[in-house]
Amino acid sequence: MPEKERAFDMAIRYNEEKQVFSLHTKNTTYQMCVGKYGFLLHLYYGKRTEGSMDYLLTYADRGFSGNPYDAGTDRTFSMDALLQEFPTQGNGDFRTACLVVKNSDGTYSCDLRYKEHRIVQGKYAIPALPAVYADENEAETLEIVMADVVTGIEATLCYGVLEELDVITRSVKIVNGGKNDVSLEKVQSACLDFMDGGYDFIHFHGRHGMERVMQRTKSMHGLQSIGSRRGTSSHQHNPFMMVAAEAATEETGDCYGLSLMYSGSFKGEVELDQYNQTRVTIGIQDEMFSYPLAPQEAFYAPEVILSYSEAGFGRLSRNYHNVIRYHVCRGKYKDQQRPVLINNWEATYFDFNDEKIYSIAEQASELGVEMLVLDDGWFGKRDNDYSGLGDWFVNEKKMGGELKGLVEKINALGMKFGIWIEPEMVSEDSELYRKHPDWAFVIPGRRPVRGRSQLVLDFSRKEVVDGIFGQICEVLDGVNVEYIKIDMNRSITDVYSATAGDKNQGAVLYRYVLGVYDFLERLAARYPDMLIEGCSGGGGRFDAGMLYYSPQIWCSDNTDAIERLYIQHGTSFGYPVSSVGSHVSAVPNHQTGRSTSMKTRGVVAMAGSFGYELDLNKISEEEKQMVREQIKEYHKYWNMIHNGNYYRLTDPAVHGEIAAWEFAAADAGEALLNVVTIDTHCNASVQYVKLKGLAPEKVYRIEGEEGIYSGDALMNAGIPVPYMSDEYQAWQVHFIEA
Ligand code: GLA
């Protein structure tokens, strides 16, 4: 089929005659067209194809699916049945919409038609919001401007195509080009319409201490939705989700991912419609959202990272790992080895002083640990979690003086120093709250909901962000702090911004997130060499938005090695191992009471940015020796763990006996196999694991052992896991090319 396409070597092609846009990546194609009357219709997303697929559109006269007025007597053209790129409410499509606009006359309607488009080299950025970045030659951008001629509303749909990575990003800018105020009541960043049904909806739910548990359900007629109303992306649902063919597995089948780069309340939806078509959307949560847009004002929706794999979840995950670690994470530590750290939280909780911290550091440095992180309790009046938040000055009585002295002593041990902060919070018992009670979210006339006995600061206000930022800079300036852990320990309620006015309260939660991003951006700019670790009671704000500012996030407050198997398994679907903060802690574990060996705890924590979270003075000499070895091993395998390919070999929730995962070098020259037993039986059957990502023709040996194995045997027949009689044992072996 001859095509008048813009240029065949472009990732984005436009067929002028048919008005078809094709977005090509190495293995995928995304296609849409300007249909009759200027509606933007979706055609296809999936395995790479050539040529226009507008022949896929079908038209029929269907009862109760109305027709645009322009269609005249043609009753076969209905927005209720056609696939769309950015569905709006009010144009005859009764499925869930991406855009709901309340007009100045109180009506709800918006009718977007194609106006113009641009194709440019490079990847677009979004003002004040995180976005995937790429070099000029690594990405192309398509912007399609859609307009409502009645109100003057314009929506610019942005598509970023990262060809090599099989990634397409989407976001939307809404401009009020009219003369009257309007209000945006719902803005989803992306819609994926499918011509068929039969997709599974896969999402990651959880709770504090058990984040990102995968759930797979069949899509059903009607709307299924997940999301957060907590002001943060939340422990309860993660803003990464997938839809997949019913038969899709780790290795086979069509699957699609949507990762929202946003750290606030969000909503993800899957709707199977009356004609068995599937609509998937994701974006900002529309509950408590009502964004006033005055003439000429613009609203930016957060970015969604889309990817498709024809080869199951494994490949889809690796697409996300690559885009996040190299095109979302930034800063010095994006691809640099992160220091092995020791954090004092589970070692001391609030009960410490400078001497105790120093003694933990001293012992840790002797064993090879590279950084001491001073957690909660070093500032204000903070000996428990009832007071002190908001007072970001050193408690000199507790710390024996200024921070500088302690940092210098720790640096003299050859260790870096890091510190914990929770900038968005305030305790009622604090100097800050006494001085600025209106800085906290409290609805006038109501008593606020407390969470961990604290209130949330109104980060939608610049003066509040400025105030906290200023205090924190005073602590950090002139002191050699090389890491900062940024925490956020409650869900947001009582949203009321004292300076916003009545009309703007529905925009506060969105502006709050922008305020947090502004804070993080300023921090990164002022301290460019600082390693920032995100945290929200562990993994309550583990999202691609946060990873733009912090290349690692404390994965969970649950440090139990066995529970971490499940949490880290779920996390790995949408996020790279390099982003997962993971520590060896004491036994019996403080959250579960379970005891596991030092070896098992080490193997599990190595599937992440590795560290310790216990008092190493309190472990046996034998365990101390193991710590020394673990750190050496982590250094040895670091590159493969952080930059290699990650493979899930079992689903621990399904397998029941073992959890197995693997890191393989990109050139398949080596691999690190990890197995942990999660259940033991008398006279048990043998477990085999099949490796992945090796070269079938290559021959491998296990480091330190006799014998050779062919790559195809290891991948097709597997290898028996040695019998481990005790529960929760770990087996970690290094395969190298023989
Ligand atoms: C949160 C974090 C912990 C620790 C405490 C301190 O729960 O997830 O790691 O920093 O706060 O209060």
Side-chain angles (χ1 to χ4, degrees):
M1 202 191 307
E3 293 262 349
K4 277 195 199 160
E5 294 194 319
R6 198 168 168 271
F8 274 96
D9 59 343
M10 299 284 289
I12 301 173
R13 300 178 199 165
Y14 178 57
N15 178 326
E16 237 174 270
E17 192 187 312
K18 295 180 164 231
Q19 289 194 284
V20 169
F21 298 95
S22 300
L23 279 45
H24 292 295
T25 70
K26 209 162 63 179
N27 300 298
T28 76
T29 294
Y30 186 109
Q31 207 173 79
M32 62 198 131
C33 70
V34 181
K36 278 193 230 169
Y37 322 115
F39 291 107
L40 189 61
L41 305 178
H42 180 75
L43 293 171
Y44 173 79
Y45 186 28
K47 190 173 173 177
R48 188 169 172 134
T49 56
E50 297 298 333
S52 296
M53 287 175 279
D54 50 341
Y55 70 89
L56 289 168
L57 297 170
T58 60
Y59 303 92
D61 181 354
R62 298 172 182 279
F64 289 85
S65 285
N67 322 104
Y69 204 81
D70 339 24
T73 54
D74 177 6
R75 298 207 306 219
T76 66
F77 188 96
S78 175
M79 298 313 286
D80 203 23
L82 289 159
L83 306 196
Q84 301 193 50
E85 274 304 302
F86 193 63
T88 60
Q89 190 195 55
N91 68 359
D93 182 352
F94 295 93
R95 293 165 288 183
T96 193
C98 275
L99 182 65
V100 176
V101 180
K102 190 172 179 191
N103 298 302
S104 57
D105 59 4
T107 58
Y108 288 87
S109 82
C110 186
D111 185 4
L112 294 176
R113 311 285 179 105
Y114 171 82
K115 183 178 171 191
E116 59 193 13
H117 76 269
R118 290 180 284 278
I119 298 173
V120 289
Q121 196 62 39
K123 165 72 178 56
Y124 65 89
I126 312 174
L129 279 166
V132 166
Y133 62 87
D135 288 346
E136 277 290 289
N137 57 358
E138 290 174 320
E140 287 172 30
T141 292
L142 166 65
E143 288 179 358
I144 303 179
V145 182
M146 307 288 296
D148 177 9
V149 289
V150 175
T151 59
I153 299 273
E154 282 196 2
T156 302
L157 313 186
C158 303
Y159 299 82
V161 182
L162 286 89
E163 203 174 348
E164 277 304 305
L165 297 176
D166 283 333
V167 158
I168 293 173
T169 65
R170 287 191 61 174
S171 77
V172 187
K173 172 187 176 184
I174 314 279
V175 174
N176 180 358
K179 292 197 169 58
N180 298 311
D181 291 355
V182 299
S183 132
L184 307 176
E185 302 294 303
K186 181 181 182 189
V187 188
Q188 295 289 94
S189 300
C191 170
L192 272 185
D193 271 0
F194 296 87
M195 281 169 184
D196 51 359
Y199 291 93
D200 284 351
F201 178 24
I202 299 150
H203 57 90
F204 299 86
H205 68 99
R207 58 182 189 273
H208 177 226
M210 183 47 74
E211 296 90 339
R212 291 169 295 284
V213 180
M214 177 164 150
Q215 179 155 37
R216 181 172 185 167
T217 60
K218 289 193 186 316
S219 55
M220 57 171 200
H221 284 100
L223 194 62
Q224 282 164 286
S225 80
I226 54 136
S228 158
R229 302 177 186 88
R230 294 169 181 269
T232 57
S233 47
S234 89
H235 301 86
Q236 288 72 13
H237 285 285
N238 192 268
F240 169 73
M241 62 188 213
M242 303 188 283
V243 284
E246 276 173 15
T249 67
E250 192 64 23
E251 295 280 287
T252 60
D254 292 333
C255 48
Y256 300 82
L258 299 94
S259 181
L260 183 67
M261 287 186 83
Y262 188 64
S263 310
S265 300
F266 75 98
K267 186 185 238 178
E269 301 173 303
V270 175
E271 181 172 11
L272 185 61
D273 76 9
Q274 56 183 333
Y275 307 122
N276 279 323
Q277 306 179 120
T278 309
R279 170 165 293 174
V280 184
T281 75
I282 194 163
I284 289 177
Q285 171 65 262
D286 55 326
E287 287 179 39
M288 286 182 65
F289 175 80
S290 177
Y291 194 95
L293 210 57
Q296 303 318 316
E297 273 183 4
F299 172 83
Y300 294 89
E303 179 152 292
V304 178
I305 308 172
L306 300 172
S307 189
Y308 159 80
S309 150
E310 60 169 304
F313 306 119
R315 183 182 302 166
L316 190 74
S317 292
R318 287 186 290 282
N319 291 349
Y320 279 97
H321 297 172
N322 286 332
V323 68
I324 289 179
R325 59 191 169 176
Y326 305 127
H327 295 270
V328 171
C329 295
R330 299 176 299 167
K332 176 177 158 188
Y333 284 100
K334 166 181 153 181
D335 40 23
Q336 245 188 51
Q337 191 158 336
R338 321 251 169 92
V340 172
L341 65 84
I342 182 144
N343 178 306
N344 73 300
W345 179 242
E346 287 196 20
T348 65
Y349 297 101
F350 291 107
D351 182 18
F352 62 83
N353 57 20
D354 55 323
E355 281 166 20
K356 204 165 181 182
I357 295 298
Y358 183 72
S359 87
I360 290 173
E362 202 175 22
Q363 174 63 78
S365 78
E366 229 173 75
L367 303 182
V369 176
E370 296 155 313
M371 179 162 72
L372 180 284
V373 175
L374 179 58
D375 211 280
D376 194 355
W378 56 268
F379 53 90
K381 186 182 103 186
R382 184 78 173 164
D383 291 322
N384 54 45
D385 54 17
Y386 289 95
S387 63
L389 291 170
D391 292 344
W392 300 108
F393 45 83
V394 180
N395 182 338
E396 292 190 15
K397 201 164 152 227
K398 187 168 176 177
M399 299 312 298
E402 289 177 3
L403 214 48
K404 207 166 183 220
L406 176 65
V407 176
E408 280 170 0
K409 274 173 75 185
I410 287 174
N411 287 165
L413 293 170
M415 285 179 110
K416 296 182 192 305
F417 178 84
I419 206 163
W420 176 99
I421 58 170
E422 194 179 359
E424 297 150 76
M425 295 294 150
V426 66
S427 307
E428 286 157 88
D429 185 1
S430 68
E431 289 182 20
L432 185 84
Y433 188 74
R434 282 184 281 273
K435 198 162 158 207
H436 295 291
D438 69 307
W439 281 19
F441 279 143
V442 177
I443 297 176
R446 288 188 188 279
R447 289 182 300 171
V449 174
R450 293 179 175 135
R452 205 191 186 195
S453 301
Q454 62 203 45
L455 302 181
V456 183
L457 287 173
D458 180 1
F459 261 44
S460 75
R461 284 168 66 182
K462 188 171 175 299
E463 67 272 34
V464 177
V465 177
D466 288 348
I468 298 297
F469 188 71
Q471 277 200 57
I472 286 168
C473 290
E474 265 188 47
V475 175
L476 300 180
D477 284 352
V479 183
N480 191 21
V481 178
E482 296 182 72
Y483 159 109
I484 194 157
K485 175 176 169 188
I486 300 193
D487 212 339
M488 199 290 185
N489 278 318
R490 60 161 290 181
S491 302
I492 304 178
T493 59
D494 300 276
V495 179
Y496 171 79
S497 185
T499 53
D502 302 357
K503 267 185 157 179
N504 282 290
Q505 298 300 334
V508 169
L509 276 179
Y510 170 79
R511 291 190 177 133
Y512 176 93
V513 177
L514 298 193
V516 172
Y517 290 153
D518 175 37
F519 178 90
L520 293 167
E521 190 64 49
R522 288 197 229 171
L523 200 69
R526 190 173 177 118
Y527 309 103
D529 290 340
M530 184 97 77
L531 172 57
I532 302 178
E533 176 152 342
C535 180
S536 174
R541 203 159 54 177
F542 203 119
D543 55 65
M546 268 299 151
L547 287 168
Y548 185 73
Y549 304 95
S550 55
Q552 61 192 53
I553 297 175
W554 182 226
C555 186
S556 177
D557 271 350
N558 187 344
T559 57
D560 175 295
I562 301 307
E563 298 236 284
R564 273 292 182 119
L565 294 172
Y566 300 88
I567 299 168
Q568 293 176 188
H569 174 85
T571 305
S572 76
F573 281 85
Y575 304 98
V577 164
S578 58
S579 68
V580 171
S582 193
H583 301 166
V584 171
S585 62
V587 287
N589 179 268
H590 294 187
Q591 293 83 41
T592 62
R594 191 192 328 255
S595 291
T596 52
S597 68
M598 178 59 87
K599 166 144 190 202
T600 299
R601 281 175 278 155
V603 167
V604 174
M606 273 186 215
S609 282
F610 185 65
Y612 291 86
E613 182 134 352
L614 72 169
D615 188 345
L616 292 170
N617 290 300
K618 295 184 178 158
I619 62 173
S620 69
E621 281 309 314
E622 195 192 335
E623 285 178 322
K624 284 182 186 165
Q625 189 48 33
M626 290 179 82
V627 169
R628 284 191 189 96
E629 280 156 25
Q630 278 172 353
I631 294 172
K632 278 193 206 130
E633 274 165 21
Y634 187 67
H635 285 155
K636 176 171 157 192
Y637 299 131
W638 175 81
N639 194 32
M640 203 181 358
I641 293 174
H642 276 233
N643 296 315
N645 291 325
Y646 174 83
Y647 295 91
R648 293 178 289 268
L649 304 183
T650 66
D651 176 346
V654 173
H655 193 288
E657 313 271 325
I658 56 168
W661 66 98
E662 178 198 335
F663 304 100
D667 67 359
E670 58 173 337
L672 186 68
L673 170 65
N674 305 272
V675 180
V676 172
T677 54
I678 43 186
D679 204 4
T680 47
H681 304 283
C682 165
N683 204 9
S685 43
V686 179
Q687 303 297 326
Y688 293 85
V689 283
K690 294 179 182 173
L691 279 86
K692 292 179 185 172
L694 302 177
E697 70 289 354
K698 283 188 176 164
V699 174
Y700 297 87
R701 64 183 177 82
I702 292 178
E703 192 185 347
E705 289 184 18
E706 299 285 319
I708 54 167
Y709 310 84
S710 76
D712 52 9
L714 288 171
M715 291 196 289
N716 293 308
I719 185 165
V721 176
Y723 178 65
M724 296 187 258
S725 58
D726 290 353
E727 60 180 0
Y728 311 137
Q729 294 300 298
W731 184 52
Q732 186 183 56
V733 278
H734 184 204
F735 287 89
I736 33 184
E737 226 182 306

